[in-house]
């Protein structure tokens, strides 16, 4: 099995190094190759997603991605900015289904910004459509109006087949969990959302065992902080999912805990932490590597057909939390504070015993 490793920028290389240690101590016959992506690739070759990196990602069975971006690239042409690498990979590899579990480990209940009684036991899954919506819609641009002022514009659209495809993924996932699916849209205002809702209702006829409900995105944002445990699986479009999944991440204490998977129709996937490159802490060795390590677990389960190894990695993460090891973002009184590398080593040690 071929695994492409794309560490990227900022804390990307630091956290991916720890995830790689975990992968390598599983004693599996993986063929691992690394390539530059994002700002690091731009510096080396003038493009954030060089042809060689794209070719490696295409031939791999799974991709482990760190993070890309740095404020120093903000003045570059949009096509050359590091973030275009991840958008390009999603588009080129047809990664349309993004899974972001938001799971609160009991040991971290105190690290959440919400009261423990509101978040304890939280276990929700956000499924975000990843390859359509206003992020990819054309036309887009900044144009000059007849009165001389500039106008920015983007185009939101979803085709019926795009919605149907993510709906089947979401109903299938809900069926394997609590059989409750909330479809989030803005159908009271947007035509795109009206079609989204109509198609969700249509697909629900094939999944009579799953309870489908609908919620406007503004209410969903509110309910996520008011009563997050009322959700089981949420399915939504690219824009709304981008925002809601970060909100859900914070319920669990730190964005540094949350893995994600982006899958194509054949379960080939790109796995990455839900957070970005965190330039504010890059190079300090303090980043939490657990989201990336848990992304490895998702990779083992979804793309590499190794569910028992995925269980082992997740159990090792639970064990280090129970042993009170904490990086600074999840530190609680009385914990054993560790750096990025020490956290990686603690997970490797937990796997070995
Ligand atoms: P961010 O997720 O990088 O950071 C937000 C906050 O969370 C920061 O305070 C950061 O220090 C903290 N944080 C993030 N990951 C952490 C970890 N593992 N351990 C401890 N703390 C952590 O978001 P941002 O600051 O808005 O963006 C920074 C850069 O990342 C930007 O260039 C942005 O475009 C890029 N970005 C990339 C991706 C990606 O590669 N998929 C996703 C989001 C943002």
């Amino acid at each position: 099995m071929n695994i492409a490793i794309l560490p990227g920028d900022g804390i990307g290389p630091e956290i991916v190094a720890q995830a790689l240690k975990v992968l390598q101590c599983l004693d599996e016959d993986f063929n691992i190759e690394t390539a530059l992506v994002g700002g690091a690739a731009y510096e080396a070759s003038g493009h954030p997603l060089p042809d060689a990196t794209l070719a490696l990602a295409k031939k791999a069975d799974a991709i482990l991605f760190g993070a890309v971006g740095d404020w120093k690239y903000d003045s570059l042409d949009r096509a050359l900015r590091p973030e275009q690498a991840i958008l390009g990979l999603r588009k080129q590899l047809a990664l349309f289904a993004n899974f972001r579990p938001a799971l609160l480990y009991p040991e971290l209940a105190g690290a959440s910004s919400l009261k423990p009684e509101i978040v304890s036991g939280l276990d929700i899954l956000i499924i975000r459509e990843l390859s359509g919506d206003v992020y990819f819609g054309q036309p887009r641009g900044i144009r000059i109006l007849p009165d001389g002022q500039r106008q920015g514009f983007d185009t939101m659209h979803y085709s019926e087949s795009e919605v149907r495809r993510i709906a089947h993924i979401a109903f299938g996932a809900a069926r394997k969990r609590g059989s409750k699916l909330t479809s989030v849209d803005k159908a009271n205002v947007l035509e795109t959302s009206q079609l989204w809702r109509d198609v969700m209702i249509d697909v629900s006829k094939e999944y009579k065992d799953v309870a489908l409900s609908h919620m406007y995105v503004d209410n969903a944002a509110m309910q996520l902080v008011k009563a997050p445990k009322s959700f089981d699986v949420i399915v939504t479009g690219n824009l709304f999912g981008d925002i809601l999944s970060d909100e859900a991440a914070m319920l669990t204490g730190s964005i540094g805990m949350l893995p994600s998977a982006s899958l194509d129709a054949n379960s080939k996937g790109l796995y990455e932490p839900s957070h970005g490159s965190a330039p504010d802490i890059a190079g300090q060795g303090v980043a939490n590597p657990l989201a990336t390590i848990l992304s490895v677990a998702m990779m083992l389960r979804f793309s590499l057909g190794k569910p028992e190894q995925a269980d082992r990695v997740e159990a090792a993460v639970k064990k280090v939390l129970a042993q009170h090891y904490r990086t600074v973002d999840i530190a609680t009184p009385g914990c054993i504070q560790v750096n990025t590398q020490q956290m990686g080593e603690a997970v490797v040690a937990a796997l070995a015993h």
Side-chain angles (χ1 to χ4, degrees), residues 7-9 11 15 65-74 82-83 86-87 90 100 242 246 250 254-258 260 270 272-282 286-292 327-330 340:
D9 307 321
I11 60 169
I15 51 179
F65 187 92
V68 289
D70 191 295
W71 301 306
K72 72 180 175 194
Y73 300 115
D74 282 356
E83 292 79 1
I86 186 68
L87 293 177
R90 287 171 186 165
R100 288 206 196 183
D242 193 359
D246 268 20
M250 275 321 293
S254 170
I255 201 163
M257 288 302 300
L258 292 188
S260 80
L270 181 147
E272 56 174 330
S274 294
H275 56 74
S277 55
D280 54 335
I281 56 167
V286 297
N288 185 348
L290 292 180
T292 318
T327 42
V328 66
D329 56 307
I330 51 171
T340 309

Side-chain angles (χ1 to χ4, degrees), residues 160-181:
E160 188 170 351
S161 60
E162 286 174 317
V163 183
R164 209 169 273 285
R165 186 170 69 163
I166 195 73
H168 281 292
I169 296 280
F171 278 103
R175 192 174 251 179
K176 291 191 194 136
R177 293 174 41 108
S179 294
K180 248 174 71 180
L181 179 64

